[in-house]
Amino acid sequence: MKLNIALLAGDGIGPEVIDQAVKVSNAIAKKFNHEINWTPALTGAAAIDAVGEPYPDETHAICEAADAVLFGAIGHPRFDNDPSAKVRPEQGLLKMRQKLGLFANVRPTFTFPSLIDKSPLKRERIEGTDFIILRELTGGIYFGERGRKDNGDTAFDTCTYTRAEVQRLAKKGFELAMTRSKKLCCVDKANVLESSRLWRETVQAMEKEYPEVEVSYEFVDAVAMRLVQWPNSYDVMITENLFGDILTDEASVISGSMGLMPSASVGEKAKLYEPIHGSYPQAAGKDIANPLATVLSAAMLFEDFKLVEEAQAIRDVVNKSLAEGIVTEDLSEGGKAYKTSEVGDWLAENI
């Protein structure tokens, strides 16, 4: 297969972890006789510095023309610490999601056998954990009307959803549940929020189209609690943008490190793959960041192109690296800490 992949390294540790995912992907391509054409493009603070815009038109054109996008991370402290900044890296991320129509964020959470005791949760609570959160990505409070009034002393952000937005996300949730254990949980706050009541009634109306799927409805605060108590009781969850943002970060540490979890953002046509961690600017340029989340994001990319054996080869070599202690400092616990680039080299060589 020939794949054309847009490569958006972004900011902070983004370029370093992306480099390792490229090494691994190229090793897979060589082993399985595929061809990958990589096209780099600017985004985030790097793009602001270069052209004054966090998601330039040229970058969008490259992403649109590609079969998929492999994305690193965006963000820089000089913008975080400047509330008056008019242009921010994160604006590029929201713009990219909106322009590419990436309405569904797919975030798996699972455990690694060799790391199960590194989790902040007890072994008996997390063994068997394997669930996916589908987060709606282009609606809700992040895209609603916002502003200030009363001379700036009052601020407001509006959460707005249409039935169509809920339906297209829920459809992906039902379809995903059908490929797994046929359990779907709709996470909302329907006892308080009108937007959540729309979510619940819309999903309820869709149940008859998927009679084999067992559907449950839970309030977001209860789910936040149960993710700590019984994470292995969930399979597929669907939720709105803000709730999904918070719950997926909570879920990410179940595995033992946020540097381990991959994700995908998908639309009707476009597909983007990225680690769930941020740009971690404190580690930028030090060759110490964990690249495994980005490498596993590349595995998700291969799997979505029906290259299942290739995706499994990546997961197998990642599990091997963890079992043999070929890890960066976040997982070394007093043992040898390998450099980001050394981990990438080891994975590629073992493939």
Side-chain angles (χ1 to χ4, degrees), residues 145-160:
E145 183 182 354
R146 67 191 62 184
R148 295 281 186 105
K149 57 185 180 180
D150 300 332
N151 295 318
D153 292 334
T154 301
F156 62 91
D157 298 274
T158 308
C159 181
T160 303

Side-chain angles (χ1 to χ4, degrees), residues 42 44-56 79 86-88 91:
L42 290 169
I48 294 173
D49 291 342
V51 298
E53 161 65 48
Y55 183 62
F79 296 95
K86 300 298 182 187
V87 181
R88 297 177 176 276
Q91 292 169 344

Side-chain angles (χ1 to χ4, degrees), residues 155-176:
F156 62 91
D157 298 274
T158 308
C159 181
T160 303
Y161 270 107
T162 66
R163 194 177 303 276
E165 287 174 322
V166 179
Q167 286 172 332
R168 68 182 181 179
L169 192 281
K171 182 174 184 291
K172 284 197 174 294
F174 276 108
E175 290 172 350
L176 183 59

Side-chain angles (χ1 to χ4, degrees), residues 93-305:
L93 186 58
L94 296 180
K95 185 177 179 182
M96 178 169 60
R97 289 170 178 170
Q98 197 165 42
K99 290 188 73 172
L100 291 174
L102 303 172
F103 65 84
N105 182 230
V106 185
R107 286 236 191 144
T109 295
F110 47 88
T111 55
F112 300 85
S114 60
L115 297 181
I116 202 155
D117 290 319
K118 293 184 185 292
S119 172
L121 302 183
K122 294 177 181 178
R123 170 185 283 265
E124 58 267 27
R125 291 196 181 276
I126 64 171
E127 280 184 320
T129 294
D130 180 9
F131 62 82
I132 295 177
I133 298 178
L134 276 179
R135 166 192 169 193
E136 201 289 323
L137 208 55
T138 56
I141 201 166
Y142 291 172
F143 290 90
E145 183 182 354
R146 67 191 62 184
R148 295 281 186 105
K149 57 185 180 180
D150 300 332
N151 295 318
D153 292 334
T154 301
F156 62 91
D157 298 274
T158 308
C159 181
T160 303
Y161 270 107
T162 66
R163 194 177 303 276
E165 287 174 322
V166 179
Q167 286 172 332
R168 68 182 181 179
L169 192 281
K171 182 174 184 291
K172 284 197 174 294
F174 276 108
E175 290 172 350
L176 183 59
M178 286 292 293
T179 68
R180 292 170 58 92
S181 64
K182 299 180 181 178
K183 287 172 55 183
L184 180 71
C185 178
C186 177
V187 183
D188 60 33
K189 192 64 177 170
N191 58 335
V192 177
L193 301 177
E194 192 62 34
S195 57
S196 282
R197 286 190 275 272
L198 174 67
W199 270 79
R200 187 169 290 211
E201 69 181 48
T202 302
V203 176
Q204 286 174 335
M206 297 174 70
E207 285 187 39
K208 61 181 182 295
E209 300 171 37
Y210 303 90
E212 295 179 61
V213 178
E214 177 189 342
V215 185
S216 61
Y217 300 85
E218 295 188 31
F219 298 143
V220 62
D221 43 348
V223 172
M225 175 184 67
R226 288 173 186 148
L227 280 180
V228 176
Q229 293 178 308
W230 310 294
N232 54 14
S233 66
Y234 291 107
D235 187 46
V236 178
M237 289 180 273
I238 57 173
T239 193
E240 60 103 71
N241 207 338
L242 176 61
F243 297 161
D245 192 0
I246 296 167
L247 290 177
T248 51
D249 273 11
E250 180 192 10
S252 71
V253 299
I254 291 172
S255 67
S257 171
M258 188 179 275
L260 293 170
M261 290 292 105
S263 77
S265 297
V266 300
E268 298 299 341
K269 295 181 180 178
K271 299 178 179 181
L272 179 145
Y273 302 86
E274 62 177 310
I276 69 162
H277 58 68
S279 60
Y280 191 17
Q282 302 91 329
K286 297 180 180 178
D287 204 20
I288 61 173
N290 188 341
L292 295 184
T294 314
V295 170
L296 289 170
S297 296
M300 290 183 75
L301 186 157
F302 281 107
E303 189 163 50
D304 280 354
F305 283 97

Side-chain angles (χ1 to χ4, degrees), residues 313-329:
I314 294 176
R315 296 188 182 106
D316 287 344
V317 78
V318 165
N319 278 318
K320 185 180 178 185
S321 74
L322 292 170
E324 296 187 15
I326 313 299
V327 295
T328 45
E329 65 176 28

